[in-house]
Amino acid sequence: GLLTFSDRVGAAVRADSSPGQMARIMDLLHAEKYRRTEADFEFVYNAMKRVSSSRSLMLLFTNFETLIAMQRILPVLRKLNKQHLLVVIFFSNSEVENYAYEPAANLQELYNRMVARQMVGDKRQMAVELANHGIQSIVCKPEDLTISTLNKYLALKAKGMIG
């Protein structure tokens, strides 16, 4: 199934194993538009309660830029994880990572690179914090999304967490 959201539900498709299901999902994803509103995770929690009554594997594609932003959403993520097997998927930023560890030419650049290193460390810390609360996560480069997601699915299946 699929549920896109910001401050409201964008597209919704109930989980189904019919032959045309993937095409429906792809069409809806292709038609999605960027919304400048902040994502309302409490809203999606309530929407998921209505859409899916049984425990499901829930892949939540999002992007937290700061540890504080993730911690603000953590109570809702914990509630979602109690109801479903939640995997939070967010992206690392290759440009920031590369920039963070290049040599600095002056004091201003050194400061900028230290801020970039903090951002890189925050992404790792977010994954640790989610794991501390029993929430699965994937932090990957956008180009590694498919393989990282498949590997996580296979790892969860091997652990018996998915039927």
Side-chain angles (χ1 to χ4, degrees), residues 61-132:
F61 295 86
T62 190
N63 206 22
F64 302 114
E65 289 302 327
T66 66
L67 185 57
I68 293 168
M70 191 274 307
Q71 289 169 333
R72 205 174 64 231
I73 307 304
L74 189 57
V76 179
L77 297 178
R78 291 178 68 194
K79 288 194 309 188
L80 280 166
N81 196 52
K82 282 182 184 173
Q83 198 171 354
H84 303 284
L85 174 53
L86 177 63
V87 179
V88 177
I89 303 168
F90 52 106
F91 298 109
S92 58
N93 186 322
S94 302
E95 290 178 15
V96 171
E97 288 177 5
N98 292 338
Y99 178 80
Y101 296 100
E102 290 174 358
N106 56 49
L107 191 57
Q108 180 63 44
E109 227 175 75
L110 179 63
Y111 173 77
N112 291 342
R113 292 184 197 291
M114 293 307 294
V115 170
R117 287 180 190 165
Q118 179 66 44
M119 291 172 68
V120 170
D122 279 359
K123 290 284 182 175
R124 288 189 200 114
Q125 186 59 38
M126 288 178 214
V128 168
E129 180 116 5
L130 289 169
N132 287 342

Side-chain angles (χ1 to χ4, degrees), residues 3-9 39-51 58 60 73 76-77 80 83-84:
L3 179 68
T4 65
F5 69 99
S6 59
D7 60 329
R8 60 184 168 79
V9 170
D40 183 344
F41 285 82
E42 191 69 42
F43 180 81
V44 81
Y45 169 74
N46 291 321
M48 279 300 294
K49 279 177 35 180
R50 288 190 303 274
V51 170
M58 181 178 177
L60 177 64
I73 307 304
V76 179
L77 297 178
L80 280 166
Q83 198 171 354
H84 303 284

